């Protein structure tokens, strides 16, 4: 194993001269070397310093080496690089510099001082240590790692996936038949198709059965709610005497396409009174969602959608976070309410959401549900 006298002292002298910080080596974990600041709070300047050292043109510049940047709360907090079979992690908030690998100690002793020296030299003047040849042990370790990487590549990307006619995105998908749900039990996730979480629409009897079970409120999976949401809208839009309301703080393109498809399916009976969605939110402007959705339909249907659906879009007068669909008929309002948005993140997931169904007077519905949102 390579060695060097006063190794840690030499590193500390260099770092203190450049940043004023002090570090110590932590070798308590096997095959891991950690350079940590003495300050227990960590050091942001030290993290930035390590980035400059490694990305220096004499060492591992970004235009020649594949760095990986990790983010937290929208801000970069860690930089990763894998080189010579060694994983290098730079924590930008704590200043920790971590090396991992089967031959990490040999690599660190033979390379690290050269990396520091390369940072101190003018561009193009690579340090001697960085140009040293690998030891026999390092070469053997690298060969083993290359074999492992090659095997992983073969396992994950079979040769036939590289053919032009291969449909890589459809690999592994299996088609399963939809089994009818039991009306005695509540709608379960296993009732859905394996690949596509949107199974066939429930018929009117099944929809009624499921809504009754939601009168006291339930916690169900998002993909289960998605099927019930579509089925309920389909049932309500098929009622020629009902007026449908859709209110949500956010809807994505695919869910708006769902609404348009259901309306077109029931175009002879459907009546959409209100589609209430904010003009803009954290996800962007609703105008772009409208535009993307209508482009999914042929021109003859686009005119119908503009006239029958988009003309009923209403923008709220206040911010709100609840979502519901409702149908008003014969003085009664049927309301299916949830605490989630109408989008992919909420519907194409097994994450649980709260849902409740209730029937109230039309006057109470207008006063308690619509007036606070649309005025």
């Amino acid at each position: 194993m390579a060695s060097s006298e006063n190794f840690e002292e030499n590193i500390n002298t260099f770092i203190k001269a450049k940043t004023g910080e002090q570090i110590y080596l932590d070798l308590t974990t096997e095959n891991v070397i950690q350079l940590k600041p003495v300050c227990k709070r960590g050091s942001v300047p030290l993290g930035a310093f390590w980035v400059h050292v490694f990305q220096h043109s004499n060492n591992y510049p970004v235009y020649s080496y594949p760095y990986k940047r990790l983010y937290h709360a929208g801000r970069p907090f860690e930089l990763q690089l894998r080189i010579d079979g060694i994983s290098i992690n730079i924590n930008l908030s704590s200043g920790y510099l971590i090396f991992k690998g089967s031959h990490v100690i040999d690599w660190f002793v033979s390379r690290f001082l050269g990396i520091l020296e390369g940072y101190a030299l003018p561009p193009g003047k690579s340090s001697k240590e960085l140009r040293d040849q690998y030891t026999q042990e390092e070469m053997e370790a690298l060969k083993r790692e290359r074999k492992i990487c090659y095997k992983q590549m073969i396992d994950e990307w079979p040769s036939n996936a590289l053919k032009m006619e291969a449909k890589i995105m459809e690999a592994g998908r299996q088609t399963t038949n939809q089994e009818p749900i039991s009306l005695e039990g509540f709608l379960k996730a296993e009732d859905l198709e394996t690949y596509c979480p949107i199974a066939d629409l429930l018929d009117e009897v099944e929809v009624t059965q499921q809504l009754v079970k939601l009168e006291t409120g339930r916690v169900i999976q998002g993909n289960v709610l998605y099927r019930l949401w579509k089925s309920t809208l389909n049932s309500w839009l098929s009622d020629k005497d009902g007026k449908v309301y859709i209110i949500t703080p956010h809807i994505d393109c695919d869910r708006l396409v769902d609404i348009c498809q259901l309306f077109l399916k029931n175009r002879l009976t459907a009546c959409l009174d209100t589609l209430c969605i904010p003009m803009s939110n954290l996800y962007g402007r609703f105008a772009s969602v409208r535009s993307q959705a209508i482009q999914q339909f042929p021109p003859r249907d686009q005119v119908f959608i503009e006239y029958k659906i988009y003309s009923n879009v209403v923008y709220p007068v206040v911010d709100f976070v609840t979502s519901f669909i409702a149908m008003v008929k014969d003085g009664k309002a049927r309301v299916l309410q949830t605490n989630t948005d109408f989008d992919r993140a909420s519907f194409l997931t097994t994450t649980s959401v709260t849902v409740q169904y209730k029937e109230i007077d039309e006057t109470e519905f207008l006063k308690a549900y619509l007036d606070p949102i649309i005025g």
Side-chain angles (χ1 to χ4, degrees), residues 11-189:
I11 296 175
N12 247 321
T13 300
F14 183 89
I15 294 173
K16 190 172 183 179
K18 297 294 184 181
T19 67
E21 299 282 352
Q22 285 187 299
I23 60 98
Y24 67 95
L25 294 180
D26 183 350
L27 306 176
T28 56
T29 305
E30 185 178 3
N31 294 329
V32 177
I33 297 177
Q34 301 184 67
L35 276 67
K36 299 180 178 180
V38 173
C39 178
K40 293 183 178 180
R41 297 191 305 272
S43 172
V44 173
L46 186 59
F49 171 72
W50 290 132
V51 172
H52 288 297
V53 168
F54 279 89
Q55 293 185 348
H56 192 277
S57 59
N58 286 341
N59 295 325
Y60 306 109
V62 293
Y63 50 79
S64 299
Y65 294 89
Y67 285 87
K68 181 178 180 181
R69 189 181 296 268
L70 302 183
Y71 288 81
H72 177 69
R75 301 177 62 184
F77 79 99
E78 187 170 288
L79 201 66
Q80 296 181 348
L81 173 66
R82 187 168 183 82
I83 193 74
D84 300 338
I86 302 297
S87 295
I88 304 171
N89 292 48
I90 303 173
N91 191 299
L92 301 178
S93 58
S94 66
Y96 283 23
L97 176 60
I98 304 173
F99 302 88
K100 300 178 183 179
S102 57
H103 59 282
V104 65
I105 294 180
D106 287 338
W107 184 92
F108 185 76
V109 171
S110 63
R111 298 282 186 269
F112 191 67
L113 288 179
I115 292 173
L116 297 182
E117 184 180 335
Y119 173 74
L121 293 174
K125 302 291 184 180
S126 297
S127 61
K128 179 180 182 299
E129 285 82 354
L130 204 58
R131 292 178 178 272
D132 282 346
Q133 297 296 316
Y134 287 118
T135 65
Q136 185 62 31
E137 290 180 350
E138 290 174 333
M139 290 298 296
E140 292 176 357
L142 285 174
K143 287 180 180 179
R144 289 194 298 269
E145 181 144 0
R146 287 194 187 100
K147 288 182 179 179
I148 294 174
C149 292
Y150 181 74
K151 184 178 184 304
Q152 290 177 343
M153 182 189 70
I154 293 300
D155 291 341
E156 295 176 6
W157 292 94
S159 57
N160 58 4
L162 301 178
K163 297 178 181 178
M164 292 297 294
E165 63 272 17
K167 297 180 179 180
I168 298 175
M169 297 305 294
E170 297 181 5
R173 292 181 179 175
Q174 296 180 351
T175 303
T176 58
N177 295 326
Q178 168 67 23
E179 296 182 359
I181 68 169
S182 171
L183 296 181
E184 299 300 323
F186 187 70
L187 189 63
K188 299 293 184 181

Side-chain angles (χ1 to χ4, degrees), residues 293-362:
I294 201 169
Q295 291 174 12
Q296 309 299 316
F297 297 89
R300 66 177 184 276
D301 289 335
Q302 290 182 12
V303 176
F304 189 85
I305 291 171
E306 284 282 3
Y307 180 68
K308 289 289 188 177
I309 300 177
Y310 286 1
S311 63
N312 296 313
V313 172
V314 175
Y315 299 116
V317 296
V318 296
D319 294 332
F320 64 101
V321 294
T322 189
S323 297
F324 61 88
I325 57 175
M327 181 186 71
V328 173
K329 176 183 176 182
D330 299 332
K332 289 288 185 179
R334 299 163 177 80
V335 185
L336 182 63
Q337 183 175 1
T338 180
N339 65 332
T340 191
D341 298 333
F342 297 157
D343 58 11
R344 178 184 181 86
S346 302
F347 281 163
L348 300 188
T349 178
T350 56
T351 302
S352 296
V353 297
T354 58
V355 187
Q356 185 176 20
Y357 171 75
K358 60 173 58 180
E359 295 184 6
I360 57 178
D361 291 335
E362 179 180 1

